[in-house]
CSV table of all heavy atoms in Angstrom, one decimal:
chain,number,residue,atom,x,y,z
A,12,GLU,N,83.4,69.1,90.8
A,12,GLU,CA,83.4,67.7,90.2
A,12,GLU,C,82.3,66.9,90.9
A,12,GLU,O,81.6,66.2,90.3
A,12,GLU,CB,84.8,67.2,90.4
A,12,GLU,CG,84.9,65.7,90.1
A,12,GLU,CD,84.7,65.5,88.6
A,12,GLU,OE1,84.8,66.4,87.8
A,12,GLU,OE2,84.5,64.3,88.2
A,13,GLN,N,82.1,67.2,92.2
A,13,GLN,CA,81.1,66.3,92.9
A,13,GLN,C,79.6,66.8,92.4
A,13,GLN,O,78.9,65.9,92.2
A,13,GLN,CB,81.3,66.4,94.4
A,13,GLN,CG,82.4,65.8,95.0
A,13,GLN,CD,82.8,66.1,96.3
A,13,GLN,OE1,82.5,67.3,96.9
A,13,GLN,NE2,83.4,65.3,97.1
A,14,LEU,N,79.3,68.1,92.3
A,14,LEU,CA,78.2,68.5,91.9
A,14,LEU,C,77.9,68.0,90.5
A,14,LEU,O,76.7,67.8,90.0
A,14,LEU,CB,78.1,70.0,91.9
A,14,LEU,CG,78.0,70.7,93.4
A,14,LEU,CD1,78.2,72.2,93.3
A,14,LEU,CD2,76.8,70.2,94.0
A,15,SER,N,78.9,67.8,89.6
A,15,SER,CA,78.7,67.4,88.3
A,15,SER,C,78.0,66.0,88.2
A,15,SER,O,77.6,65.6,87.2
A,15,SER,CB,79.9,67.5,87.5
A,15,SER,OG,80.9,66.5,87.8
A,16,HIS,N,78.3,65.2,89.3
A,16,HIS,CA,77.7,63.8,89.3
A,16,HIS,C,76.6,63.6,90.3
A,16,HIS,O,76.4,62.6,90.9
A,16,HIS,CB,78.8,62.9,89.6
A,16,HIS,CG,79.9,62.7,88.6
A,16,HIS,ND1,79.7,62.1,87.4
A,16,HIS,CD2,81.3,63.2,88.6
A,16,HIS,CE1,80.7,62.1,86.8
A,16,HIS,NE2,81.8,62.9,87.4
A,17,ALA,N,76.0,64.9,90.7
A,17,ALA,CA,75.0,64.8,91.7
A,17,ALA,C,73.6,65.2,91.1
A,17,ALA,O,73.4,65.8,90.2
A,17,ALA,CB,75.2,65.8,92.9
A,18,ILE,N,72.5,64.7,91.7
A,18,ILE,CA,71.1,64.9,91.2
A,18,ILE,C,70.2,65.2,92.5
A,18,ILE,O,70.2,64.4,93.4
A,18,ILE,CB,70.3,63.8,90.4
A,18,ILE,CG1,71.3,63.5,89.1
A,18,ILE,CG2,69.0,64.2,90.0
A,18,ILE,CD1,70.7,62.2,88.3
A,19,PHE,N,69.7,66.3,92.6
A,19,PHE,CA,68.7,66.7,93.6
A,19,PHE,C,67.3,67.0,93.0
A,19,PHE,O,67.0,68.1,92.6
A,19,PHE,CB,69.3,68.0,94.3
A,19,PHE,CG,70.6,67.9,94.8
A,19,PHE,CD1,71.5,68.9,94.6
A,19,PHE,CD2,71.1,66.7,95.5
A,19,PHE,CE1,72.9,68.9,95.1
A,19,PHE,CE2,72.5,66.7,95.9
A,19,PHE,CZ,73.4,67.7,95.7
A,20,PRO,N,66.5,65.9,93.0
A,20,PRO,CA,65.1,66.1,92.3
A,20,PRO,C,64.2,66.9,93.0
A,20,PRO,O,63.1,67.1,92.4
A,20,PRO,CB,64.7,64.7,92.2
A,20,PRO,CG,65.9,63.8,92.5
A,20,PRO,CD,66.7,64.6,93.5
A,21,LEU,N,64.4,67.4,94.2
A,21,LEU,CA,63.4,67.9,95.0
A,21,LEU,C,63.4,69.5,95.0
A,21,LEU,O,62.6,70.0,95.8
A,21,LEU,CB,63.2,67.4,96.5
A,21,LEU,CG,63.2,65.9,96.7
A,21,LEU,CD1,63.1,65.5,98.1
A,21,LEU,CD2,62.1,65.3,95.9
A,22,GLY,N,64.3,70.0,94.4
A,22,GLY,CA,64.6,71.5,94.5
A,22,GLY,C,63.4,72.4,94.2
A,22,GLY,O,63.3,73.6,94.7
A,23,HIS,N,62.6,72.0,93.4
A,23,HIS,CA,61.4,72.7,92.9
A,23,HIS,C,60.1,72.4,93.6
A,23,HIS,O,59.1,72.8,93.2
A,23,HIS,CB,61.4,72.6,91.3
A,23,HIS,CG,62.4,73.1,90.5
A,23,HIS,ND1,62.6,74.5,90.1
A,23,HIS,CD2,63.6,72.7,90.1
A,23,HIS,CE1,63.6,74.7,89.5
A,23,HIS,NE2,64.3,73.6,89.4
A,24,SER,N,60.2,71.6,94.7
A,24,SER,CA,59.1,71.2,95.4
A,24,SER,C,59.2,71.6,96.9
A,24,SER,O,60.2,71.7,97.6
A,24,SER,CB,58.8,69.7,95.4
A,24,SER,OG,58.7,69.2,94.0
A,25,THR,N,58.0,71.9,97.5
A,25,THR,CA,57.9,72.2,98.9
A,25,THR,C,57.9,70.8,99.7
A,25,THR,O,57.5,69.9,99.1
A,25,THR,CB,56.7,73.0,99.3
A,25,THR,OG1,55.6,72.3,99.0
A,25,THR,CG2,56.7,74.3,98.5
A,26,LYS,N,58.1,70.9,101.0
A,26,LYS,CA,58.0,69.6,101.7
A,26,LYS,C,56.6,69.1,101.6
A,26,LYS,O,56.4,67.9,101.6
A,26,LYS,CB,58.7,69.8,103.2
A,26,LYS,CG,58.6,68.6,104.0
A,26,LYS,CD,59.6,67.6,103.3
A,26,LYS,CE,59.7,66.4,104.2
A,26,LYS,NZ,60.9,66.4,105.1
A,27,ALA,N,55.6,70.0,101.7
A,27,ALA,CA,54.2,69.4,101.7
A,27,ALA,C,53.9,68.7,100.5
A,27,ALA,O,53.2,67.8,100.4
A,27,ALA,CB,53.3,70.7,101.9
A,28,GLU,N,54.4,69.3,99.4
A,28,GLU,CA,54.2,68.7,98.1
A,28,GLU,C,55.0,67.3,98.0
A,28,GLU,O,54.3,66.4,97.3
A,28,GLU,CB,54.7,69.5,97.0
A,28,GLU,CG,53.9,70.8,96.6
A,28,GLU,CD,54.4,71.8,95.8
A,28,GLU,OE1,55.7,71.7,95.7
A,28,GLU,OE2,53.7,72.7,95.4
A,29,VAL,N,56.0,67.2,98.6
A,29,VAL,CA,56.7,65.9,98.7
A,29,VAL,C,55.9,64.9,99.4
A,29,VAL,O,55.8,63.8,98.9
A,29,VAL,CB,58.2,66.0,99.2
A,29,VAL,CG1,58.9,64.8,99.4
A,29,VAL,CG2,59.0,66.9,98.3
A,30,ARG,N,55.4,65.2,100.5
A,30,ARG,CA,54.6,64.3,101.3
A,30,ARG,C,53.3,63.9,100.6
A,30,ARG,O,53.0,62.8,100.6
A,30,ARG,CB,54.2,65.0,102.7
A,30,ARG,CG,55.4,65.1,103.6
A,30,ARG,CD,55.0,65.4,105.0
A,30,ARG,NE,56.1,65.5,105.9
A,30,ARG,CZ,56.9,64.5,106.5
A,30,ARG,NH1,56.5,63.2,106.1
A,30,ARG,NH2,57.8,64.8,107.4
A,31,GLU,N,52.7,64.8,99.9
A,31,GLU,CA,51.5,64.5,99.2
A,31,GLU,C,51.9,63.6,98.0
A,31,GLU,O,51.0,62.6,97.8
A,31,GLU,CB,50.9,65.9,98.6
A,31,GLU,CG,50.2,66.8,99.6
A,31,GLU,CD,49.8,68.0,99.1
A,31,GLU,OE1,50.1,68.3,97.8
A,31,GLU,OE2,49.4,68.9,99.9
A,32,GLU,N,52.9,63.7,97.2
A,32,GLU,CA,53.3,62.8,96.2
A,32,GLU,C,53.6,61.5,96.8
A,32,GLU,O,53.3,60.4,96.1
A,32,GLU,CB,54.5,63.4,95.5
A,32,GLU,CG,55.1,62.5,94.4
A,32,GLU,CD,56.1,63.1,93.5
A,32,GLU,OE1,56.3,64.4,93.6
A,32,GLU,OE2,56.9,62.4,92.9
A,33,ALA,N,54.4,61.4,98.0
A,33,ALA,CA,54.7,60.0,98.6
A,33,ALA,C,53.4,59.3,98.9
A,33,ALA,O,53.3,58.1,98.6
A,33,ALA,CB,55.4,60.3,99.8
A,34,ALA,N,52.4,60.0,99.4
A,34,ALA,CA,51.1,59.3,99.7
A,34,ALA,C,50.5,58.9,98.3
A,34,ALA,O,49.9,57.7,98.3
A,34,ALA,CB,50.1,60.3,100.4
A,35,ARG,N,50.5,59.6,97.2
A,35,ARG,CA,49.9,59.2,95.9
A,35,ARG,C,50.6,58.0,95.5
A,35,ARG,O,49.9,57.1,94.8
A,35,ARG,CB,49.9,60.3,94.9
A,35,ARG,CG,49.2,61.6,95.2
A,35,ARG,CD,48.8,62.4,94.1
A,35,ARG,NE,50.2,62.8,93.4
A,35,ARG,CZ,50.8,64.0,93.9
A,35,ARG,NH1,50.3,64.6,94.7
A,35,ARG,NH2,51.9,64.3,93.1
A,36,ARG,N,51.8,57.9,95.7
A,36,ARG,CA,52.7,56.8,95.2
A,36,ARG,C,52.7,55.6,96.1
A,36,ARG,O,53.3,54.5,95.7
A,36,ARG,CB,54.2,57.3,95.0
A,36,ARG,CG,54.5,58.2,94.0
A,36,ARG,CD,56.0,58.6,93.9
A,36,ARG,NE,56.3,59.6,92.9
A,36,ARG,CZ,56.6,59.3,91.6
A,36,ARG,NH1,56.5,58.1,91.2
A,36,ARG,NH2,56.8,60.2,90.8
A,37,GLY,N,52.0,55.6,97.2
A,37,GLY,CA,51.8,54.5,98.0
A,37,GLY,C,53.0,54.2,98.9
A,37,GLY,O,53.2,53.0,99.4
A,38,LEU,N,53.8,55.2,99.1
A,38,LEU,CA,55.1,55.1,99.9
A,38,LEU,C,54.6,55.3,101.4
A,38,LEU,O,54.1,56.3,101.8
A,38,LEU,CB,56.0,56.1,99.6
A,38,LEU,CG,56.7,56.0,98.1
A,38,LEU,CD1,57.4,57.2,97.6
A,38,LEU,CD2,57.4,54.8,97.9
A,39,THR,N,54.9,54.2,102.2
A,39,THR,CA,54.5,54.3,103.7
A,39,THR,C,55.2,55.3,104.5
A,39,THR,O,54.8,55.6,105.7
A,39,THR,CB,54.7,52.9,104.3
A,39,THR,OG1,56.1,52.5,104.2
A,39,THR,CG2,53.9,51.9,103.6
A,40,VAL,N,56.3,56.0,103.9
A,40,VAL,CA,57.0,57.0,104.7
A,40,VAL,C,56.4,58.3,104.5
A,40,VAL,O,56.9,59.3,105.0
A,40,VAL,CB,58.5,56.9,104.4
A,40,VAL,CG1,59.2,55.7,104.8
A,40,VAL,CG2,58.7,57.1,102.7
A,41,ALA,N,55.2,58.5,103.8
A,41,ALA,CA,54.7,59.8,103.5
A,41,ALA,C,54.5,60.7,104.8
A,41,ALA,O,54.7,61.8,104.7
A,41,ALA,CB,53.3,59.6,102.8
A,42,ASP,N,54.0,60.1,105.9
A,42,ASP,CA,53.9,60.7,107.2
A,42,ASP,C,55.0,60.6,108.2
A,42,ASP,O,54.8,61.0,109.3
A,42,ASP,CB,52.5,60.4,107.7
A,42,ASP,CG,51.3,60.8,106.8
A,42,ASP,OD1,51.5,61.9,106.1
A,42,ASP,OD2,50.4,60.1,106.8
A,43,LYS,N,56.0,60.0,107.7
A,43,LYS,CA,57.1,59.8,108.7
A,43,LYS,C,57.7,61.1,109.1
A,43,LYS,O,58.2,61.9,108.3
A,43,LYS,CB,58.3,58.9,108.0
A,43,LYS,CG,59.3,58.4,108.9
A,43,LYS,CD,60.3,57.4,108.3
A,43,LYS,CE,61.4,57.1,109.3
A,43,LYS,NZ,62.3,56.1,108.6
A,44,PRO,N,57.9,61.3,110.5
A,44,PRO,CA,58.5,62.6,110.9
A,44,PRO,C,59.9,62.7,110.4
A,44,PRO,O,60.8,61.7,110.1
A,44,PRO,CB,58.5,62.4,112.4
A,44,PRO,CG,57.6,61.3,112.6
A,44,PRO,CD,57.6,60.4,111.6
A,45,ASP,N,60.4,63.9,110.3
A,45,ASP,CA,61.8,64.2,109.8
A,45,ASP,C,62.7,63.9,111.0
A,45,ASP,O,62.3,64.2,112.1
A,45,ASP,CB,61.9,65.7,109.4
A,45,ASP,CG,61.1,66.1,108.2
A,45,ASP,OD1,61.0,65.2,107.4
A,45,ASP,OD2,60.8,67.3,108.1
A,46,SER,N,63.9,63.5,110.7
A,46,SER,CA,64.8,63.4,111.7
A,46,SER,C,65.4,64.8,112.0
A,46,SER,O,65.3,65.7,111.2
A,46,SER,CB,66.1,62.5,111.2
A,46,SER,OG,66.6,63.0,110.0
A,47,HIS,N,65.9,64.9,113.2
A,47,HIS,CA,66.6,66.2,113.6
A,47,HIS,C,67.6,66.1,114.6
A,47,HIS,O,67.8,65.1,115.1
A,47,HIS,CB,65.4,67.1,114.1
A,47,HIS,CG,64.7,66.7,115.3
A,47,HIS,ND1,65.1,67.0,116.6
A,47,HIS,CD2,63.5,65.8,115.6
A,47,HIS,CE1,64.4,66.4,117.5
A,47,HIS,NE2,63.4,65.7,116.9
A,48,ASP,N,68.1,67.2,114.9
A,48,ASP,CA,69.4,67.2,115.8
A,48,ASP,C,70.5,66.3,115.1
A,48,ASP,O,70.7,66.1,113.9
A,48,ASP,CB,69.0,66.7,117.2
A,48,ASP,CG,68.0,67.7,117.8
A,48,ASP,OD1,68.2,68.8,117.7
A,48,ASP,OD2,67.1,67.0,118.5
A,49,ILE,N,71.4,65.7,116.0
A,49,ILE,CA,72.5,65.0,115.6
A,49,ILE,C,72.3,63.6,115.6
A,49,ILE,O,71.9,63.1,116.6
A,49,ILE,CB,73.7,65.4,116.3
A,49,ILE,CG1,74.0,66.9,116.4
A,49,ILE,CG2,74.9,64.7,116.0
A,49,ILE,CD1,75.0,67.4,117.4
A,50,CYS,N,72.3,62.9,114.4
A,50,CYS,CA,71.8,61.5,114.4
A,50,CYS,C,72.5,60.5,115.3
A,50,CYS,O,71.9,59.6,115.8
A,50,CYS,CB,71.9,61.1,112.9
A,50,CYS,SG,73.6,60.8,112.4
A,51,PHE,N,73.9,60.8,115.7
A,51,PHE,CA,74.5,59.9,116.5
A,51,PHE,C,74.4,60.2,118.0
A,51,PHE,O,75.1,59.6,118.8
A,51,PHE,CB,76.0,59.8,116.0
A,51,PHE,CG,76.7,61.1,115.9
A,51,PHE,CD1,77.3,61.6,117.0
A,51,PHE,CD2,76.8,61.6,114.7
A,51,PHE,CE1,78.0,62.9,116.9
A,51,PHE,CE2,77.6,62.8,114.5
A,51,PHE,CZ,78.1,63.5,115.6
A,52,ILE,N,73.6,61.3,118.3
A,52,ILE,CA,73.4,61.6,119.7
A,52,ILE,C,71.8,61.4,119.8
A,52,ILE,O,71.1,62.4,119.7
A,52,ILE,CB,73.8,62.9,120.1
A,52,ILE,CG1,75.3,63.1,119.8
A,52,ILE,CG2,73.6,63.3,121.6
A,52,ILE,CD1,75.9,64.6,120.0
A,53,ALA,N,71.3,60.2,120.1
A,53,ALA,CA,70.0,59.8,120.1
A,53,ALA,C,69.2,60.7,121.0
A,53,ALA,O,67.9,60.9,120.8
A,53,ALA,CB,69.8,58.4,120.3
A,54,ASP,N,69.7,60.9,122.2
A,54,ASP,CA,68.9,61.6,123.3
A,54,ASP,C,69.1,63.1,123.1
A,54,ASP,O,68.3,63.8,124.0
A,54,ASP,CB,69.3,61.2,124.6
A,54,ASP,CG,70.8,61.4,125.0
A,54,ASP,OD1,71.5,62.0,124.2
A,54,ASP,OD2,71.2,61.0,126.0
A,55,GLY,N,69.8,63.6,122.4
A,55,GLY,CA,69.9,65.1,122.2
A,55,GLY,C,70.8,65.8,123.1
A,55,GLY,O,71.0,67.0,123.1
A,56,ASP,N,71.5,65.0,124.0
A,56,ASP,CA,72.4,65.6,125.1
A,56,ASP,C,73.9,65.6,124.6
A,56,ASP,O,74.7,64.8,124.7
A,56,ASP,CB,72.4,64.6,126.3
A,56,ASP,CG,73.2,65.1,127.4
A,56,ASP,OD1,73.6,66.3,127.3
A,56,ASP,OD2,73.3,64.3,128.4
A,57,THR,N,74.2,66.7,123.7
A,57,THR,CA,75.4,66.9,123.1
A,57,THR,C,76.6,67.0,124.2
A,57,THR,O,77.5,66.4,124.1
A,57,THR,CB,75.4,68.1,122.2
A,57,THR,OG1,74.5,68.0,121.2
A,57,THR,CG2,76.8,68.3,121.6
A,58,ARG,N,76.2,67.7,125.3
A,58,ARG,CA,77.2,67.9,126.4
A,58,ARG,C,77.5,66.6,127.1
A,58,ARG,O,78.7,66.3,127.3
A,58,ARG,CB,76.6,69.0,127.4
A,58,ARG,CG,77.7,69.2,128.5
A,58,ARG,CD,77.0,70.3,129.6
A,58,ARG,NE,77.1,71.6,128.9
A,58,ARG,CZ,76.7,72.7,129.6
A,58,ARG,NH1,76.3,72.5,130.9
A,58,ARG,NH2,76.6,73.9,129.1
A,59,GLY,N,76.6,65.8,127.3
A,59,GLY,CA,76.8,64.6,127.9
A,59,GLY,C,77.5,63.6,126.9
A,59,GLY,O,78.5,62.8,127.5
């Protein structure tokens, strides 16, 4: 049911192609680094 109301437009593109398209569209996030690790643990110290 959830998938029937979802759209994932990037499945046929590589990440490099997405960044190139963002630059062509004038999106300032074209070169923005990907987030990683756990978003609510900013320093990456899960044990702490």
Side-chain angles (χ1 to χ4, degrees):
E12 176 64 17
Q13 290 169 329
L14 289 172
S15 72
H16 293 286
I18 303 175
F19 306 133
L21 306 186
H23 294 275
S24 301
T25 66
K26 186 58 178 267
E28 290 169 342
V29 170
R30 289 195 181 280
E31 290 170 3
E32 181 177 336
R35 290 197 306 271
R36 291 181 180 275
L38 297 169
T39 59
V40 292
D42 296 320
K43 185 175 180 178
D45 291 338
S46 60
H47 61 87
D48 296 323
I49 300 169
C50 71
F51 51 86
I52 305 179
D54 60 3
D56 182 9
T57 301
R58 181 177 291 184

